[in-house]
Amino acid sequence: VLLLLNASTGEIVDVNPLNIDFLGYSLGEFKGKKIWQLDAVKGKPEAVKAFHEILTKEYARYPEIELLSRNQNPVTVELLTTAYSIDKHKIVQCHFWDITERKLLLQEINHASKQRAEDLKIFANSIQLAQEEERKRISRELHDDICQRLTALKFHIDIFEDSVQEEKKISVRRLKLVKKEINNLIGEVRTISSNLRPSALDHFGLVTAIRLLCSEFEKLYK
């Protein structure tokens, strides 16, 4: 779509037929009018400023301008303008490209992109929640089941140790070694359980749990 303007007056001197079809205005509604007087751009004071900018720079590009067609439908265009002289008369040439569909498509793409990002966020949150629930379950099973069974086993060994005759020193020594290993194992299981899901996290919240973690870390690594 093409418009030719008289640079000295800003009046439209020629319009190609495609422009008439594009916006729906007749040739008479274009010719002889200043571009900012057109119904398509009325109420946009920046049109005057843009015209003077074109004259100063002799080139200007406006990636997105909204015009009104004759039936008052908004039309989004990209505008490329150049100013040059012909027989000592300065002319401004305006090229319009209809980008209405492109703009709508970009809006749809942006909407789809935002929706995808939101879906991914929800998915990531659900995965994290599932992982937390699984860690809580494993931690509970380690603490409530395996730890209790190990403690019960240690208790049985205590009873068995008391029943061993005094002269069987080797058996007693071996039992003590087994008890020591069981104690170590109970401690390790409790540590694993705590690392998977610290009870402080559920009972006292994140801040207190982090403070306790830092305190334990400091004890281990000075």
Side-chain angles (χ1 to χ4, degrees):
V1 179
L2 178 65
L3 283 177
L4 290 179
L5 312 179
N6 184 324
S8 60
T9 63
E11 293 178 351
I12 299 170
V13 296
D14 200 6
V15 185
N16 72 337
L18 189 58
N19 206 344
I20 296 169
D21 294 337
F22 174 50
L23 292 174
Y25 298 102
S26 67
L27 182 61
E29 290 173 294
F30 279 105
K31 291 191 72 172
K33 285 189 177 181
K34 293 178 173 60
I35 193 166
W36 53 86
Q37 294 174 334
L38 294 175
D39 290 336
V41 295
K42 269 187 177 177
K44 297 188 177 181
E46 61 269 25
V48 179
K49 182 181 176 182
F51 176 73
H52 290 295
E53 181 183 5
I54 295 162
L55 293 180
T56 303
K57 298 180 179 178
E58 296 192 340
Y59 172 85
R61 176 179 174 269
Y62 302 92
E64 190 174 306
I65 296 176
E66 192 170 278
L67 304 177
L68 281 177
S69 66
R70 188 173 185 77
N71 56 12
Q72 298 300 299
N73 287 332
V75 179
T76 307
V77 300
E78 180 181 351
L79 172 61
L80 179 64
T81 63
T82 54
Y84 55 89
S85 297
I86 298 178
D87 297 329
K88 298 182 181 180
H89 295 289
K90 200 163 189 178
I91 298 293
V92 175
Q93 187 169 291
C94 303
H95 291 268
F96 294 93
W97 285 272
D98 183 6
I99 60 169
T100 306
E101 289 186 9
R102 184 175 76 184
K103 184 181 178 182
L104 290 174
L105 181 60
L106 285 174
Q107 288 175 345
E108 289 177 8
I109 291 172
N110 288 335
H111 176 73
S113 179
K114 288 179 182 178
Q115 186 61 51
R116 183 172 179 272
E118 187 63 28
D119 291 343
L120 285 174
K121 183 179 178 181
I122 294 171
F123 178 70
N125 286 340
S126 66
I127 291 293
Q128 184 178 358
L129 181 61
Q131 288 175 335
E132 288 293 329
E133 289 299 319
E134 182 66 7
R135 289 165 72 92
K136 188 188 290 187
R137 183 188 65 79
I138 295 172
S139 173
R140 186 170 57 247
E141 288 182 1
L142 283 172
H143 185 272
D144 296 345
D145 183 24
I146 296 177
C147 248
Q148 288 185 10
R149 288 164 65 184
L150 286 170
T151 302
L153 178 60
K154 182 189 171 188
F155 177 72
H156 286 303
I157 289 176
D158 285 337
I159 296 173
F160 183 65
E161 183 183 15
D162 292 339
S163 67
V164 173
Q165 295 179 11
E166 181 64 27
E167 63 269 15
K168 295 184 178 179
K169 300 289 184 181
I170 295 175
S171 296
V172 172
R173 192 162 56 251
R174 286 178 176 171
L175 282 174
K176 288 184 182 296
L177 288 173
V178 172
K179 283 172 61 180
K180 184 179 179 181
E181 285 301 313
I182 290 175
N183 272 332
N184 291 339
L185 187 56
I186 289 172
E188 289 177 12
V189 170
R190 282 176 176 161
T191 300
I192 292 170
S193 172
S194 178
N195 287 340
L196 278 170
R197 183 71 182 191
S199 59
L201 194 61
D202 293 318
H203 296 152
F204 306 110
L206 181 62
V207 175
T208 301
I210 290 175
R211 284 177 177 157
L212 290 172
L213 176 63
C214 291
S215 177
E216 291 299 317
F217 189 88
E218 189 177 31
K219 288 177 185 177
L220 288 172
Y221 300 103
K222 309 301 180 186

PDB file of all heavy atoms in Angstrom, residues 96-114:
ATOM      1  N   PHE A  96       2.761   1.064   3.500  1.00  0.00           N
ATOM      2  CA  PHE A  96       2.062   0.396   4.595  1.00  0.00           C
ATOM      3  C   PHE A  96       2.026  -1.115   4.337  1.00  0.00           C
ATOM      4  O   PHE A  96       1.765  -1.547   3.222  1.00  0.00           O
ATOM      5  CB  PHE A  96       0.617   0.905   4.715  1.00  0.00           C
ATOM      6  CG  PHE A  96       0.495   2.339   5.115  1.00  0.00           C
ATOM      7  CD1 PHE A  96       0.401   3.331   4.152  1.00  0.00           C
ATOM      8  CD2 PHE A  96       0.462   2.698   6.453  1.00  0.00           C
ATOM      9  CE1 PHE A  96       0.267   4.655   4.514  1.00  0.00           C
ATOM     10  CE2 PHE A  96       0.329   4.026   6.824  1.00  0.00           C
ATOM     11  CZ  PHE A  96       0.244   5.014   5.856  1.00  0.00           C
ATOM     12  N   TRP A  97       2.271  -1.891   5.406  1.00  0.00           N
ATOM     13  CA  TRP A  97       2.083  -3.338   5.327  1.00  0.00           C
ATOM     14  C   TRP A  97       1.089  -3.751   6.404  1.00  0.00           C
ATOM     15  O   TRP A  97       1.255  -3.402   7.580  1.00  0.00           O
ATOM     16  CB  TRP A  97       3.399  -4.086   5.569  1.00  0.00           C
ATOM     17  CG  TRP A  97       4.342  -4.027   4.418  1.00  0.00           C
ATOM     18  CD1 TRP A  97       4.414  -4.869   3.350  1.00  0.00           C
ATOM     19  CD2 TRP A  97       5.369  -3.047   4.209  1.00  0.00           C
ATOM     20  NE1 TRP A  97       5.415  -4.492   2.500  1.00  0.00           N
ATOM     21  CE2 TRP A  97       6.019  -3.367   2.989  1.00  0.00           C
ATOM     22  CE3 TRP A  97       5.802  -1.920   4.908  1.00  0.00           C
ATOM     23  CZ2 TRP A  97       7.067  -2.615   2.487  1.00  0.00           C
ATOM     24  CZ3 TRP A  97       6.846  -1.179   4.418  1.00  0.00           C
ATOM     25  CH2 TRP A  97       7.466  -1.517   3.214  1.00  0.00           C
ATOM     26  N   ASP A  98       0.085  -4.459   6.007  1.00  0.00           N
ATOM     27  CA  ASP A  98      -0.922  -4.929   6.963  1.00  0.00           C
ATOM     28  C   ASP A  98      -0.324  -6.049   7.815  1.00  0.00           C
ATOM     29  O   ASP A  98       0.030  -7.114   7.303  1.00  0.00           O
ATOM     30  CB  ASP A  98      -2.152  -5.443   6.201  1.00  0.00           C
ATOM     31  CG  ASP A  98      -3.270  -5.868   7.146  1.00  0.00           C
ATOM     32  OD1 ASP A  98      -3.142  -5.655   8.366  1.00  0.00           O
ATOM     33  OD2 ASP A  98      -4.276  -6.414   6.654  1.00  0.00           O
ATOM     34  N   ILE A  99      -0.187  -5.805   9.093  1.00  0.00           N
ATOM     35  CA  ILE A  99       0.371  -6.826   9.995  1.00  0.00           C
ATOM     36  C   ILE A  99      -0.668  -7.253  11.040  1.00  0.00           C
ATOM     37  O   ILE A  99      -0.313  -7.778  12.093  1.00  0.00           O
ATOM     38  CB  ILE A  99       1.654  -6.324  10.689  1.00  0.00           C
ATOM     39  CG1 ILE A  99       1.364  -5.069  11.527  1.00  0.00           C
ATOM     40  CG2 ILE A  99       2.767  -6.056   9.684  1.00  0.00           C
ATOM     41  CD1 ILE A  99       2.511  -4.678  12.447  1.00  0.00           C
ATOM     42  N   THR A 100      -1.957  -6.986  10.738  1.00  0.00           N
ATOM     43  CA  THR A 100      -3.017  -7.327  11.694  1.00  0.00           C
ATOM     44  C   THR A 100      -3.000  -8.814  12.032  1.00  0.00           C
ATOM     45  O   THR A 100      -3.011  -9.200  13.210  1.00  0.00           O
ATOM     46  CB  THR A 100      -4.401  -6.940  11.123  1.00  0.00           C
ATOM     47  OG1 THR A 100      -4.375  -5.565  10.734  1.00  0.00           O
ATOM     48  CG2 THR A 100      -5.487  -7.160  12.167  1.00  0.00           C
ATOM     49  N   GLU A 101      -2.944  -9.657  11.000  1.00  0.00           N
ATOM     50  CA  GLU A 101      -2.946 -11.102  11.235  1.00  0.00           C
ATOM     51  C   GLU A 101      -1.672 -11.533  11.953  1.00  0.00           C
ATOM     52  O   GLU A 101      -1.701 -12.398  12.838  1.00  0.00           O
ATOM     53  CB  GLU A 101      -3.099 -11.858   9.910  1.00  0.00           C
ATOM     54  CG  GLU A 101      -4.484 -11.727   9.293  1.00  0.00           C
ATOM     55  CD  GLU A 101      -4.659 -12.609   8.064  1.00  0.00           C
ATOM     56  OE1 GLU A 101      -3.767 -13.435   7.800  1.00  0.00           O
ATOM     57  OE2 GLU A 101      -5.688 -12.466   7.382  1.00  0.00           O
ATOM     58  N   ARG A 102      -0.544 -10.913  11.559  1.00  0.00           N
ATOM     59  CA  ARG A 102       0.727 -11.251  12.208  1.00  0.00           C
ATOM     60  C   ARG A 102       0.695 -10.902  13.696  1.00  0.00           C
ATOM     61  O   ARG A 102       1.157 -11.670  14.537  1.00  0.00           O
ATOM     62  CB  ARG A 102       1.876 -10.511  11.524  1.00  0.00           C
ATOM     63  CG  ARG A 102       3.255 -10.879  12.062  1.00  0.00           C
ATOM     64  CD  ARG A 102       4.350 -10.212  11.252  1.00  0.00           C
ATOM     65  NE  ARG A 102       4.472  -8.801  11.589  1.00  0.00           N
ATOM     66  CZ  ARG A 102       5.295  -7.965  10.974  1.00  0.00           C
ATOM     67  NH1 ARG A 102       6.029  -8.390   9.942  1.00  0.00           N
ATOM     68  NH2 ARG A 102       5.368  -6.704  11.341  1.00  0.00           N
ATOM     69  N   LYS A 103       0.100  -9.723  13.991  1.00  0.00           N
ATOM     70  CA  LYS A 103      -0.010  -9.313  15.387  1.00  0.00           C
ATOM     71  C   LYS A 103      -0.888 -10.285  16.179  1.00  0.00           C
ATOM     72  O   LYS A 103      -0.557 -10.679  17.301  1.00  0.00           O
ATOM     73  CB  LYS A 103      -0.586  -7.900  15.466  1.00  0.00           C
ATOM     74  CG  LYS A 103      -0.645  -7.349  16.891  1.00  0.00           C
ATOM     75  CD  LYS A 103      -1.236  -5.951  16.911  1.00  0.00           C
ATOM     76  CE  LYS A 103      -1.325  -5.428  18.341  1.00  0.00           C
ATOM     77  NZ  LYS A 103      -1.947  -4.087  18.403  1.00  0.00           N
ATOM     78  N   LEU A 104      -2.024 -10.670  15.580  1.00  0.00           N
ATOM     79  CA  LEU A 104      -2.914 -11.626  16.247  1.00  0.00           C
ATOM     80  C   LEU A 104      -2.229 -12.959  16.471  1.00  0.00           C
ATOM     81  O   LEU A 104      -2.363 -13.585  17.526  1.00  0.00           O
ATOM     82  CB  LEU A 104      -4.190 -11.819  15.418  1.00  0.00           C
ATOM     83  CG  LEU A 104      -5.151 -10.632  15.361  1.00  0.00           C
ATOM     84  CD1 LEU A 104      -6.284 -10.908  14.381  1.00  0.00           C
ATOM     85  CD2 LEU A 104      -5.712 -10.322  16.746  1.00  0.00           C
ATOM     86  N   LEU A 105      -1.458 -13.378  15.438  1.00  0.00           N
ATOM     87  CA  LEU A 105      -0.732 -14.645  15.557  1.00  0.00           C
ATOM     88  C   LEU A 105       0.306 -14.568  16.667  1.00  0.00           C
ATOM     89  O   LEU A 105       0.451 -15.512  17.462  1.00  0.00           O
ATOM     90  CB  LEU A 105      -0.061 -14.981  14.224  1.00  0.00           C
ATOM     91  CG  LEU A 105       0.737 -16.294  14.169  1.00  0.00           C
ATOM     92  CD1 LEU A 105      -0.168 -17.482  14.475  1.00  0.00           C
ATOM     93  CD2 LEU A 105       1.388 -16.471  12.802  1.00  0.00           C
ATOM     94  N   LEU A 106       1.032 -13.441  16.744  1.00  0.00           N
ATOM     95  CA  LEU A 106       2.027 -13.262  17.801  1.00  0.00           C
ATOM     96  C   LEU A 106       1.377 -13.263  19.179  1.00  0.00           C
ATOM     97  O   LEU A 106       1.924 -13.814  20.138  1.00  0.00           O
ATOM     98  CB  LEU A 106       2.805 -11.959  17.582  1.00  0.00           C
ATOM     99  CG  LEU A 106       3.853 -11.972  16.476  1.00  0.00           C
ATOM    100  CD1 LEU A 106       4.437 -10.581  16.267  1.00  0.00           C
ATOM    101  CD2 LEU A 106       4.979 -12.962  16.786  1.00  0.00           C
ATOM    102  N   GLN A 107       0.197 -12.643  19.254  1.00  0.00           N
ATOM    103  CA  GLN A 107      -0.523 -12.640  20.523  1.00  0.00           C
ATOM    104  C   GLN A 107      -0.914 -14.061  20.927  1.00  0.00           C
ATOM    105  O   GLN A 107      -0.809 -14.437  22.102  1.00  0.00           O
ATOM    106  CB  GLN A 107      -1.769 -11.750  20.419  1.00  0.00           C
ATOM    107  CG  GLN A 107      -1.460 -10.266  20.375  1.00  0.00           C
ATOM    108  CD  GLN A 107      -2.702  -9.412  20.145  1.00  0.00           C
ATOM    109  OE1 GLN A 107      -3.755  -9.918  19.740  1.00  0.00           O
ATOM    110  NE2 GLN A 107      -2.585  -8.118  20.395  1.00  0.00           N
ATOM    111  N   GLU A 108      -1.360 -14.844  19.926  1.00  0.00           N
ATOM    112  CA  GLU A 108      -1.723 -16.234  20.203  1.00  0.00           C
ATOM    113  C   GLU A 108      -0.504 -17.037  20.632  1.00  0.00           C
ATOM    114  O   GLU A 108      -0.567 -17.858  21.552  1.00  0.00           O
ATOM    115  CB  GLU A 108      -2.358 -16.866  18.960  1.00  0.00           C
ATOM    116  CG  GLU A 108      -3.749 -16.331  18.643  1.00  0.00           C
ATOM    117  CD  GLU A 108      -4.311 -16.921  17.360  1.00  0.00           C
ATOM    118  OE1 GLU A 108      -3.682 -17.851  16.807  1.00  0.00           O
ATOM    119  OE2 GLU A 108      -5.377 -16.468  16.916  1.00  0.00           O
ATOM    120  N   ILE A 109       0.633 -16.785  19.946  1.00  0.00           N
ATOM    121  CA  ILE A 109       1.868 -17.489  20.299  1.00  0.00           C
ATOM    122  C   ILE A 109       2.308 -17.120  21.718  1.00  0.00           C
ATOM    123  O   ILE A 109       2.696 -17.995  22.509  1.00  0.00           O
ATOM    124  CB  ILE A 109       2.984 -17.166  19.283  1.00  0.00           C
ATOM    125  CG1 ILE A 109       2.663 -17.805  17.929  1.00  0.00           C
ATOM    126  CG2 ILE A 109       4.345 -17.658  19.779  1.00  0.00           C
ATOM    127  CD1 ILE A 109       3.601 -17.374  16.812  1.00  0.00           C
ATOM    128  N   ASN A 110       2.247 -15.806  22.037  1.00  0.00           N
ATOM    129  CA  ASN A 110       2.637 -15.360  23.372  1.00  0.00           C
ATOM    130  C   ASN A 110       1.725 -15.960  24.435  1.00  0.00           C
ATOM    131  O   ASN A 110       2.189 -16.376  25.507  1.00  0.00           O
ATOM    132  CB  ASN A 110       2.589 -13.833  23.454  1.00  0.00           C
ATOM    133  CG  ASN A 110       3.716 -13.178  22.682  1.00  0.00           C
ATOM    134  OD1 ASN A 110       4.764 -13.787  22.472  1.00  0.00           O
ATOM    135  ND2 ASN A 110       3.525 -11.942  22.268  1.00  0.00           N
ATOM    136  N   HIS A 111       0.418 -15.996  24.112  1.00  0.00           N
ATOM    137  CA  HIS A 111      -0.541 -16.579  25.060  1.00  0.00           C
ATOM    138  C   HIS A 111      -0.236 -18.070  25.262  1.00  0.00           C
ATOM    139  O   HIS A 111      -0.234 -18.562  26.399  1.00  0.00           O
ATOM    140  CB  HIS A 111      -1.962 -16.390  24.544  1.00  0.00           C
ATOM    141  CG  HIS A 111      -3.002 -17.044  25.406  1.00  0.00           C
ATOM    142  ND1 HIS A 111      -3.372 -16.546  26.629  1.00  0.00           N
ATOM    143  CD2 HIS A 111      -3.729 -18.185  25.216  1.00  0.00           C
ATOM    144  CE1 HIS A 111      -4.281 -17.340  27.162  1.00  0.00           C
ATOM    145  NE2 HIS A 111      -4.518 -18.330  26.332  1.00  0.00           N
ATOM    146  N   ALA A 112       0.017 -18.759  24.130  1.00  0.00           N
ATOM    147  CA  ALA A 112       0.331 -20.194  24.217  1.00  0.00           C
ATOM    148  C   ALA A 112       1.627 -20.425  24.988  1.00  0.00           C
ATOM    149  O   ALA A 112       1.743 -21.378  25.771  1.00  0.00           O
ATOM    150  CB  ALA A 112       0.439 -20.792  22.810  1.00  0.00           C
ATOM    151  N   SER A 113       2.606 -19.529  24.767  1.00  0.00           N
ATOM    152  CA  SER A 113       3.883 -19.644  25.468  1.00  0.00           C
ATOM    153  C   SER A 113       3.708 -19.445  26.971  1.00  0.00           C
ATOM    154  O   SER A 113       4.267 -20.193  27.787  1.00  0.00           O
ATOM    155  CB  SER A 113       4.868 -18.612  24.909  1.00  0.00           C
ATOM    156  OG  SER A 113       6.100 -18.680  25.579  1.00  0.00           O
ATOM    157  N   LYS A 114       2.900 -18.426  27.346  1.00  0.00           N
ATOM    158  CA  LYS A 114       2.642 -18.187  28.765  1.00  0.00           C
ATOM    159  C   LYS A 114       1.889 -19.353  29.384  1.00  0.00           C
ATOM    160  O   LYS A 114       2.173 -19.766  30.513  1.00  0.00           O
ATOM    161  CB  LYS A 114       1.839 -16.894  28.934  1.00  0.00           C
ATOM    162  CG  LYS A 114       2.645 -15.633  28.667  1.00  0.00           C
ATOM    163  CD  LYS A 114       1.782 -14.388  28.833  1.00  0.00           C
ATOM    164  CE  LYS A 114       2.581 -13.118  28.518  1.00  0.00           C
ATOM    165  NZ  LYS A 114       1.746 -11.899  28.619  1.00  0.00           N
TER     166      LYS A 114
END
